[in-house]
Amino acid sequence: MIQIKEVLDFLAKNDIEYIFEGDGEFTFKTFCPLKELKENSITWVRNVKDVNVSELNRVSGLVLVAELKENVQGASFPVVYVENAHRTYFRIVAHFFESQDPENRQEGIAATAVVETTDIGEHLFVGHHTYIGPDVKVGCNVSILNNVTIQGKVEIGDYTVIESGATIGVCGFGHYLNEEGKPVCVPHFGGVIIGSNVRIGASSAVARGCLSDTVIEDYVKIDNLCHIAHNVHIKQRAQVIAGAVIGGSTTVEEGVWLAPGSLLNNGINVGENAYFGLGAVAIKDVPGNKVVVGMPAKVLRDRDEM
């Protein structure tokens, strides 16, 4: 069992400001989402208006992490108020339930993996049936899961995770017509540069560059089933969600959010902190700090108005 005062000590040690209402001796043993409440659990809410207090009061041993903006009225359970409930709650869960996290893997290379490179950092994890070519450079604390293929000139930064089934460094889709009008693949001499703290989701594909490199900068998060074409440059903190396709030679600036099913035409520029709605199709440059929706994508409003 975990006492609330242990959680408060954790917050204080990490300089996370909070206001607590309730009994510091109160204990809980697990976690749960707000829609699937469990006894003796810690849960969270972003908007207090979404809380059915009477329903929560009926759950024995519940603890709530909520935003500082508004009080939970009539609560018989302990509440920890913080500036950012989403971020703080998952820090709490990650710390106190670390042993349950599948991300905590032991370093090592699976017996069925083929790792031809010798340029690898410390604490590498490689899963079953993964292939890593001789020209690949891998940083420290990298996890490469099962059935991954990494070929050609690829650099992978520290603390990056590549999920099962991903393919990195494959040939891009670029062709010219020969004298007989038949398409011939252009040579792809470039590589892929992947920064630190990047995540590339399951069954996603990242093509190597043609004359230069495909670049994915630090803290970029790419979901499952995404396609990143040749010569794409995705800058820091951008998030690319399931089913998104980024056409060749496109630049995605810092902090961009590409919603599920987003499609980006070849050679365009998406400005810093742009936000794509579901299935938005960008056929030309997208300005920064705007929300765009539709096909073709059009500006709906400023992002700070969300």
Side-chain angles (χ1 to χ4, degrees), residues 4-274:
I4 289 292
K5 62 182 181 181
E6 295 179 68
V7 174
L8 303 182
D9 287 343
F10 169 77
L11 297 180
K13 288 177 182 177
N14 287 276
D15 298 320
I16 299 172
E17 295 184 3
Y18 67 88
I19 295 173
F20 175 66
E21 294 180 353
D23 179 6
E25 303 296 323
F26 198 89
T27 61
F28 61 94
K29 66 179 181 181
T30 189
F31 49 86
C32 67
L34 195 65
K35 292 182 178 181
E36 298 178 19
L37 297 174
K38 299 178 184 177
E39 293 186 352
N40 301 307
S41 296
I42 186 167
T43 189
W44 75 286
V45 65
R46 181 178 280 115
N47 298 312
V48 169
K49 64 182 181 180
D50 296 331
V51 174
N52 184 331
V53 176
S54 60
E55 181 181 348
L56 269 62
N57 282 337
R58 291 194 292 268
V59 180
S60 175
L62 195 70
V63 180
L64 180 68
V65 178
E67 303 263 319
L68 278 168
K69 308 171 194 173
E70 203 173 345
N71 285 344
V72 180
Q73 300 294 329
S76 62
F77 47 86
V79 183
V80 182
Y81 294 99
V82 293
E83 182 180 2
N84 188 312
H86 181 231
R87 178 174 63 214
T88 303
Y89 175 78
F90 284 102
R91 283 182 176 173
I92 292 169
V93 170
H95 176 75
F96 287 97
F97 301 97
E98 182 180 14
S99 63
Q100 300 182 38
D101 190 351
E103 295 293 308
N104 295 324
R105 306 178 187 93
Q106 296 294 320
E107 65 179 277
I109 298 174
T112 57
V114 176
V115 180
E116 296 182 341
T117 182
T118 58
D119 196 350
I120 56 178
E122 297 179 336
H123 311 304
L124 172 66
F125 175 89
V126 179
H128 286 286
H129 305 290
T130 283
Y131 170 76
I132 302 175
D135 297 324
V136 177
K137 180 179 179 179
V138 184
C140 297
N141 299 288
V142 170
S143 292
I144 302 171
L145 278 70
N146 307 308
N147 300 298
V148 172
T149 298
I150 305 175
Q151 62 192 53
K153 295 177 287 186
V154 177
E155 296 182 16
I156 302 171
D158 299 341
Y159 295 98
T160 283
V161 177
I162 300 176
E163 294 279 1
S164 295
T167 53
I168 314 294
V170 295
C171 186
F173 193 83
H175 301 81
Y176 64 87
L177 298 180
N178 67 12
E179 290 76 6
E180 298 173 350
K182 297 175 181 178
V184 178
C185 185
V186 301
H188 282 69
F189 296 122
V192 179
I193 298 175
I194 300 171
S196 298
N197 295 284
V198 171
R199 191 176 198 99
I200 297 177
S203 300
S204 287
V206 181
R208 66 182 184 269
C210 180
L211 302 178
S212 58
D213 296 323
T214 300
V215 179
I216 300 172
E217 293 189 4
D218 296 348
Y219 289 96
V220 168
K221 308 300 180 186
I222 298 173
D223 199 359
N224 305 332
L225 298 168
C226 294
H227 176 71
I228 314 301
H230 57 196
N231 310 317
V232 165
H233 190 158
I234 306 177
K235 297 190 178 180
Q236 294 189 30
R237 300 180 295 102
Q239 298 185 65
V240 182
I241 319 304
V245 174
I246 302 178
S249 301
T250 286
T251 298
V252 177
E253 298 286 347
E254 292 189 21
V256 169
W257 171 277
L258 299 180
S262 298
L263 303 178
L264 278 62
N265 197 14
N266 298 338
I268 67 172
N269 186 81
V270 178
E272 187 172 344
N273 292 319

